[in-house]
Amino acid sequence: MSLDARIAARLKRDGNGLVPAIVQQHDTGEVLMLAWMDDEALHRTLTTGRATYWSRSRGEYWVKGDTSGHVQHVKAVSLDCDGDTVLLKVDQVGAACHTGDRTCFDADPLTPVQGGVTAARAER
Amino acid sequence: MSLDARIAARLKRDGNGLVPAIVQQHDTGEVLMLAWMDDEALHRTLTTGRATYWSRSRGEYWVKGDTSGHVQHVKAVSLDCDGDTVLLKVDQVGAACHTGDRTCFDADPLTPVQGGVTAARAER
């Protein structure tokens, strides 16, 4: 079994055969992380309901939570208008980030350099 | 002026010098789109408060809304744990997608192939 041909036909992969997958907590809307998928990872994600990625650093498939227990149960998957990005809505068990943070974006808010986003950040 | 050296030191760019930027509506949590930034685009985004990207197809900087009017006012910017993805929280004027959809992910929900996400999708 491989990725449904109708989906594969819509997918626009980068030079390494990958598309970025944005992962979002389905109910709170938190953006948890970004990971990468090839056709097979997307196929496994759609058919198993468990978020599955391609690890660029390790060069292998990676079922989120298999080692950490921090599983992502897939609620919905959509492709963007260009077919080159996937949005995954999941129910995240525990921390999404390998650092133990809930999301991969918690630790590093960027300091505005010249006040461009100062006013906006003040409301956070 | 170029990107703050402390931020530049944390940024991990792909082979083309780019990082993906996830764009999220700051109050509703909707994921609007994904675009790409180089150092200069991130610098301009941080210092002007207007979301600015690098267009891979046109090979030029692109201030979101300059032609469409569908401006993104930047509320917060953060880097992920690996420094290879940016999350932009914005206030989106009008449609984020060039198709006229509110988000780039509205048009193409993927049909689950073998029921992997069927139960989850039923709750949408």
Side-chain angles (χ1 to χ4, degrees):
Chain A
M1 271 297 295
S2 59
L3 182 63
D4 183 278
R6 291 160 301 179
I7 298 174
R10 272 137 70 195
L11 215 55
K12 288 194 198 127
R13 306 153 194 84
D14 70 10
N16 298 311
L18 302 173
V19 294
I22 301 168
V23 190
Q24 183 180 34
Q25 173 66 26
H26 74 106
D27 47 5
T28 65
E30 290 164 293
V31 173
L32 299 168
M33 52 182 273
L34 183 132
W36 295 83
M37 291 185 170
D38 64 1
D39 286 43
E40 177 64 21
L42 179 54
H43 174 64
R44 294 187 192 181
T45 297
L46 287 167
T47 54
T48 65
R50 284 280 305 277
T52 305
Y53 308 109
W54 176 256
S55 168
R56 297 182 302 171
S57 54
R58 298 193 303 276
E60 61 182 20
Y61 293 103
W62 160 53
V63 181
K64 176 72 179 170
D66 262 4
T67 55
S68 65
H70 295 164
V71 173
Q72 293 172 340
H73 298 288
V74 179
K75 297 291 190 178
V77 184
S78 37
L79 209 56
D80 79 345
C81 55
D82 296 325
D84 62 7
T85 304
V86 168
L87 176 63
L88 231 63
K89 295 190 181 181
V90 304
D91 193 13
Q92 171 72 57
V93 176
C97 190
H98 71 286
T99 62
D101 283 344
R102 172 67 179 171
T103 92
C104 291
F105 298 95
D106 290 350
D108 210 353
L110 296 185
T111 307
V113 180
Q114 289 196 329
V117 297
T118 303
R121 287 176 53 86
E123 78 181 37
R124 286 182 63 185
Chain B
M1 271 298 294
S2 59
L3 183 62
D4 183 278
R6 291 161 301 179
I7 299 173
R10 271 138 70 195
L11 215 55
K12 288 194 197 127
R13 307 152 194 83
D14 70 10
N16 297 311
L18 302 174
V19 294
I22 302 168
V23 191
Q24 182 179 35
Q25 173 67 26
H26 74 107
D27 47 4
T28 65
E30 289 165 293
V31 174
L32 299 168
M33 53 182 272
L34 183 133
W36 295 83
M37 290 185 172
D38 64 2
D39 287 43
E40 176 65 22
L42 179 54
H43 173 66
R44 294 187 192 181
T45 297
L46 286 168
T47 53
T48 65
R50 285 280 304 278
T52 304
Y53 308 109
W54 176 257
S55 169
R56 298 181 302 170
S57 55
R58 297 194 303 275
E60 60 183 20
Y61 293 103
W62 161 53
V63 181
K64 177 71 179 172
D66 261 3
T67 55
S68 65
H70 296 163
V71 172
Q72 292 173 341
H73 299 287
V74 179
K75 297 290 189 178
V77 184
S78 37
L79 210 55
D80 79 346
C81 54
D82 296 324
D84 63 7
T85 304
V86 168
L87 176 63
L88 231 63
K89 295 191 180 181
V90 305
D91 193 15
Q92 171 72 55
V93 175
C97 191
H98 71 285
T99 62
D101 284 343
R102 172 68 179 170
T103 93
C104 291
F105 298 95
D106 290 349
D108 210 353
L110 296 185
T111 308
V113 180
Q114 289 195 329
V117 296
T118 303
R121 288 175 55 84
E123 78 183 35
R124 288 183 61 185

